[in-house]
mmCIF file of all heavy atoms in Angstrom:
data_model
loop_
_atom_site.group_PDB
_atom_site.id
_atom_site.type_symbol
_atom_site.label_atom_id
_atom_site.label_comp_id
_atom_site.label_asym_id
_atom_site.label_seq_id
_atom_site.Cartn_x
_atom_site.Cartn_y
_atom_site.Cartn_z
ATOM 1 N N GLN K 29 0.879 -1.199 0.024
ATOM 2 C CA GLN K 29 -0.016 -0.048 0.029
ATOM 3 C C GLN K 29 1.003 1.204 -0.016
ATOM 4 O O GLN K 29 1.717 1.398 0.978
ATOM 5 C CB GLN K 29 -0.998 0.084 1.233
ATOM 6 C CG GLN K 29 -2.005 1.062 1.297
ATOM 7 C CD GLN K 29 -3.307 0.510 0.595
ATOM 8 O OE1 GLN K 29 -3.526 -0.752 0.441
ATOM 9 N NE2 GLN K 29 -4.003 1.462 -0.135
ATOM 10 N N ILE K 30 0.903 2.016 -1.018
ATOM 11 C CA ILE K 30 1.728 3.221 -1.117
ATOM 12 C C ILE K 30 0.997 4.391 -0.478
ATOM 13 O O ILE K 30 1.560 5.252 0.222
ATOM 14 C CB ILE K 30 1.960 3.573 -2.666
ATOM 15 C CG1 ILE K 30 2.672 2.413 -3.343
ATOM 16 C CG2 ILE K 30 2.752 4.791 -2.656
ATOM 17 C CD1 ILE K 30 4.128 2.153 -2.695
ATOM 18 N N SER K 31 -0.296 4.518 -0.752
ATOM 19 C CA SER K 31 -1.131 5.638 -0.177
ATOM 20 C C SER K 31 -2.556 5.120 0.256
ATOM 21 O O SER K 31 -2.759 3.923 0.002
ATOM 22 C CB SER K 31 -1.050 6.918 -0.944
ATOM 23 O OG SER K 31 -1.683 6.596 -2.264
ATOM 24 N N GLU K 32 -3.374 6.003 0.492
ATOM 25 C CA GLU K 32 -4.825 5.541 1.032
ATOM 26 C C GLU K 32 -5.496 4.787 -0.190
ATOM 27 O O GLU K 32 -6.170 3.890 -0.022
ATOM 28 C CB GLU K 32 -5.547 6.737 1.371
ATOM 29 C CG GLU K 32 -6.988 6.443 1.930
ATOM 30 C CD GLU K 32 -7.603 7.657 2.361
ATOM 31 O OE1 GLU K 32 -7.066 8.733 2.380
ATOM 32 O OE2 GLU K 32 -8.877 7.568 2.720
ATOM 33 N N ASN K 33 -5.187 5.275 -1.467
ATOM 34 C CA ASN K 33 -5.908 4.637 -2.509
ATOM 35 C C ASN K 33 -5.043 4.098 -3.626
ATOM 36 O O ASN K 33 -5.592 3.908 -4.731
ATOM 37 C CB ASN K 33 -6.959 5.607 -3.132
ATOM 38 C CG ASN K 33 -6.267 6.892 -3.728
ATOM 39 O OD1 ASN K 33 -5.113 7.130 -3.475
ATOM 40 N ND2 ASN K 33 -7.039 7.640 -4.461
ATOM 41 N N VAL K 34 -3.812 3.799 -3.316
ATOM 42 C CA VAL K 34 -2.845 3.319 -4.374
ATOM 43 C C VAL K 34 -2.101 2.159 -3.793
ATOM 44 O O VAL K 34 -1.526 2.290 -2.710
ATOM 45 C CB VAL K 34 -1.993 4.476 -4.864
ATOM 46 C CG1 VAL K 34 -1.004 3.851 -5.834
ATOM 47 C CG2 VAL K 34 -2.586 5.700 -5.454
ATOM 48 N N ARG K 35 -2.069 1.113 -4.523
ATOM 49 C CA ARG K 35 -1.352 -0.040 -4.315
ATOM 50 C C ARG K 35 -0.353 -0.432 -5.436
ATOM 51 O O ARG K 35 -0.657 -0.243 -6.599
ATOM 52 C CB ARG K 35 -2.174 -1.349 -4.002
ATOM 53 C CG ARG K 35 -3.052 -1.172 -2.600
ATOM 54 C CD ARG K 35 -3.813 -2.403 -2.421
ATOM 55 N NE ARG K 35 -4.722 -2.148 -1.226
ATOM 56 C CZ ARG K 35 -5.633 -2.897 -0.842
ATOM 57 N NH1 ARG K 35 -5.930 -4.047 -1.487
ATOM 58 N NH2 ARG K 35 -6.397 -2.573 0.247
ATOM 59 N N ILE K 36 0.716 -1.108 -5.048
ATOM 60 C CA ILE K 36 1.733 -1.508 -6.168
ATOM 61 C C ILE K 36 1.623 -3.122 -6.149
ATOM 62 O O ILE K 36 1.779 -3.787 -5.075
ATOM 63 C CB ILE K 36 3.070 -1.121 -5.871
ATOM 64 C CG1 ILE K 36 3.227 0.441 -6.030
ATOM 65 C CG2 ILE K 36 4.082 -1.758 -6.837
ATOM 66 C CD1 ILE K 36 3.006 0.920 -7.385
ATOM 67 N N LEU K 37 1.576 -3.667 -7.312
ATOM 68 C CA LEU K 37 1.506 -5.073 -7.552
ATOM 69 C C LEU K 37 2.845 -5.513 -8.106
ATOM 70 O O LEU K 37 3.115 -5.228 -9.305
ATOM 71 C CB LEU K 37 0.367 -5.523 -8.506
ATOM 72 C CG LEU K 37 0.263 -7.015 -8.786
ATOM 73 C CD1 LEU K 37 -0.021 -7.919 -7.563
ATOM 74 C CD2 LEU K 37 -0.848 -7.279 -9.884
ATOM 75 N N ALA K 38 3.767 -5.790 -7.275
ATOM 76 C CA ALA K 38 5.153 -6.030 -7.683
ATOM 77 C C ALA K 38 5.293 -7.528 -8.017
ATOM 78 O O ALA K 38 5.316 -8.370 -7.171
ATOM 79 C CB ALA K 38 6.173 -5.729 -6.509
ATOM 80 N N LEU K 39 5.551 -7.827 -9.206
ATOM 81 C CA LEU K 39 5.412 -9.286 -9.822
ATOM 82 C C LEU K 39 6.815 -9.741 -10.219
ATOM 83 O O LEU K 39 7.623 -9.086 -10.903
ATOM 84 C CB LEU K 39 4.512 -9.273 -10.983
ATOM 85 C CG LEU K 39 2.989 -8.915 -10.663
ATOM 86 C CD1 LEU K 39 2.298 -9.029 -11.999
ATOM 87 C CD2 LEU K 39 2.446 -9.760 -9.715
ATOM 88 N N ASN K 40 7.181 -10.921 -9.702
ATOM 89 C CA ASN K 40 8.415 -11.570 -10.300
ATOM 90 C C ASN K 40 7.989 -12.563 -11.368
ATOM 91 O O ASN K 40 7.229 -13.498 -11.045
ATOM 92 C CB ASN K 40 9.138 -12.334 -9.100
ATOM 93 C CG ASN K 40 10.473 -12.943 -9.601
ATOM 94 O OD1 ASN K 40 10.608 -13.715 -10.488
ATOM 95 N ND2 ASN K 40 11.518 -12.406 -9.034
ATOM 96 N N ASP K 41 8.487 -12.326 -12.659
ATOM 97 C CA ASP K 41 7.981 -13.133 -13.690
ATOM 98 C C ASP K 41 8.932 -14.024 -14.320
ATOM 99 O O ASP K 41 8.962 -14.274 -15.497
ATOM 100 C CB ASP K 41 7.364 -12.171 -14.718
ATOM 101 C CG ASP K 41 8.337 -11.171 -15.418
ATOM 102 O OD1 ASP K 41 9.492 -11.296 -15.042
ATOM 103 O OD2 ASP K 41 7.930 -10.468 -16.175
ATOM 104 N N ASP K 42 10.036 -14.280 -13.538
ATOM 105 C CA ASP K 42 11.207 -15.017 -14.117
ATOM 106 C C ASP K 42 10.881 -16.377 -14.803
ATOM 107 O O ASP K 42 11.414 -16.629 -15.879
ATOM 108 C CB ASP K 42 12.233 -15.378 -12.999
ATOM 109 C CG ASP K 42 12.925 -14.029 -12.567
ATOM 110 O OD1 ASP K 42 12.837 -13.031 -13.268
ATOM 111 O OD2 ASP K 42 13.706 -14.183 -11.507
ATOM 112 N N LYS K 43 9.983 -17.062 -14.220
ATOM 113 C CA LYS K 43 9.717 -18.425 -14.820
ATOM 114 C C LYS K 43 8.307 -18.871 -14.565
ATOM 115 O O LYS K 43 7.621 -18.740 -13.542
ATOM 116 C CB LYS K 43 10.549 -19.528 -14.064
ATOM 117 C CG LYS K 43 12.042 -19.539 -14.687
ATOM 118 C CD LYS K 43 12.638 -20.852 -14.378
ATOM 119 C CE LYS K 43 14.071 -20.943 -14.948
ATOM 120 N NZ LYS K 43 14.801 -22.126 -14.698
ATOM 121 N N ASN K 44 7.604 -19.312 -15.811
ATOM 122 C CA ASN K 44 6.318 -20.025 -15.553
ATOM 123 C C ASN K 44 6.506 -21.466 -15.493
ATOM 124 O O ASN K 44 7.636 -21.863 -15.339
ATOM 125 C CB ASN K 44 5.534 -19.439 -16.791
ATOM 126 C CG ASN K 44 6.029 -19.963 -18.082
ATOM 127 O OD1 ASN K 44 7.029 -20.687 -18.200
ATOM 128 N ND2 ASN K 44 5.360 -19.439 -19.162
ATOM 129 N N GLN K 45 5.465 -22.166 -15.788
ATOM 130 C CA GLN K 45 5.560 -23.652 -15.673
ATOM 131 C C GLN K 45 6.308 -24.171 -16.774
ATOM 132 O O GLN K 45 6.867 -25.428 -16.702
ATOM 133 C CB GLN K 45 4.139 -24.265 -15.743
ATOM 134 C CG GLN K 45 3.517 -24.090 -17.215
ATOM 135 C CD GLN K 45 2.796 -22.706 -17.265
ATOM 136 O OE1 GLN K 45 2.761 -21.895 -16.328
ATOM 137 N NE2 GLN K 45 2.146 -22.489 -18.339
ATOM 138 N N ASN K 46 6.719 -23.442 -17.779
ATOM 139 C CA ASN K 46 7.496 -23.993 -18.901
ATOM 140 C C ASN K 46 8.979 -23.511 -18.814
ATOM 141 O O ASN K 46 9.792 -23.721 -19.782
ATOM 142 C CB ASN K 46 6.949 -23.423 -20.250
ATOM 143 C CG ASN K 46 5.458 -23.862 -20.498
ATOM 144 O OD1 ASN K 46 5.220 -25.069 -20.242
ATOM 145 N ND2 ASN K 46 4.681 -23.092 -21.113
ATOM 146 N N GLY K 47 9.280 -22.720 -17.794
ATOM 147 C CA GLY K 47 10.546 -22.359 -17.606
ATOM 148 C C GLY K 47 10.939 -21.087 -18.364
ATOM 149 O O GLY K 47 12.085 -20.596 -18.489
ATOM 150 N N HIS K 48 9.863 -20.345 -18.814
ATOM 151 C CA HIS K 48 10.048 -19.062 -19.559
ATOM 152 C C HIS K 48 9.395 -17.983 -18.717
ATOM 153 O O HIS K 48 8.800 -18.292 -17.800
ATOM 154 C CB HIS K 48 9.423 -19.147 -20.808
ATOM 155 C CG HIS K 48 9.851 -20.195 -21.815
ATOM 156 N ND1 HIS K 48 9.063 -21.089 -22.602
ATOM 157 C CD2 HIS K 48 11.192 -20.608 -22.074
ATOM 158 C CE1 HIS K 48 9.812 -21.915 -23.227
ATOM 159 N NE2 HIS K 48 11.115 -21.609 -23.023
ATOM 160 N N ALA K 49 9.631 -16.690 -19.182
ATOM 161 C CA ALA K 49 9.156 -15.669 -18.398
ATOM 162 C C ALA K 49 7.782 -15.706 -18.382
ATOM 163 O O ALA K 49 6.992 -15.984 -19.403
ATOM 164 C CB ALA K 49 9.611 -14.236 -19.025
ATOM 165 N N GLY K 50 7.072 -15.496 -17.287
ATOM 166 C CA GLY K 50 5.462 -15.462 -17.180
ATOM 167 C C GLY K 50 5.201 -15.965 -15.657
ATOM 168 O O GLY K 50 5.979 -15.905 -14.748
ATOM 169 N N PHE K 51 3.976 -16.591 -15.591
ATOM 170 C CA PHE K 51 3.457 -16.953 -14.363
ATOM 171 C C PHE K 51 2.750 -18.359 -14.522
ATOM 172 O O PHE K 51 2.189 -18.776 -15.509
ATOM 173 C CB PHE K 51 2.328 -15.905 -13.803
ATOM 174 C CG PHE K 51 2.861 -14.481 -13.945
ATOM 175 C CD1 PHE K 51 2.386 -13.815 -15.003
ATOM 176 C CD2 PHE K 51 3.683 -14.007 -12.968
ATOM 177 C CE1 PHE K 51 2.785 -12.452 -15.080
ATOM 178 C CE2 PHE K 51 4.069 -12.740 -13.102
ATOM 179 C CZ PHE K 51 3.645 -11.833 -14.106
ATOM 180 N N THR K 52 2.939 -19.161 -13.326
ATOM 181 C CA THR K 52 2.194 -20.362 -13.309
ATOM 182 C C THR K 52 0.697 -20.080 -12.968
ATOM 183 O O THR K 52 0.415 -18.924 -12.729
ATOM 184 C CB THR K 52 2.677 -21.183 -12.115
ATOM 185 O OG1 THR K 52 2.522 -20.586 -10.912
ATOM 186 C CG2 THR K 52 4.184 -21.545 -12.315
ATOM 187 N N GLU K 53 -0.080 -21.144 -13.183
ATOM 188 C CA GLU K 53 -1.569 -20.862 -12.915
ATOM 189 C C GLU K 53 -1.875 -20.392 -11.426
ATOM 190 O O GLU K 53 -2.655 -19.567 -11.320
ATOM 191 C CB GLU K 53 -2.264 -22.253 -13.223
ATOM 192 C CG GLU K 53 -3.841 -22.113 -13.055
ATOM 193 C CD GLU K 53 -4.512 -20.930 -13.828
ATOM 194 O OE1 GLU K 53 -3.934 -20.645 -14.907
ATOM 195 O OE2 GLU K 53 -5.499 -20.435 -13.363
#
């Protein structure tokens, strides 16, 4: 939470289920 009405979604996308950049299910 950065301020009253702002949030940051900080994502690590190094590897998905295939070993490539992205996200698992």
Side-chain angles (χ1 to χ4, degrees):
Q29 190 86 28
I30 299 295
S31 61
E32 184 179 353
N33 63 346
V34 177
R35 289 179 188 173
I36 296 294
L37 177 64
L39 301 176
N40 189 295
D41 63 6
D42 286 354
K43 284 194 175 185
N44 61 13
Q45 67 280 358
N46 300 320
H48 300 136
F51 312 102
T52 63
E53 179 59 27

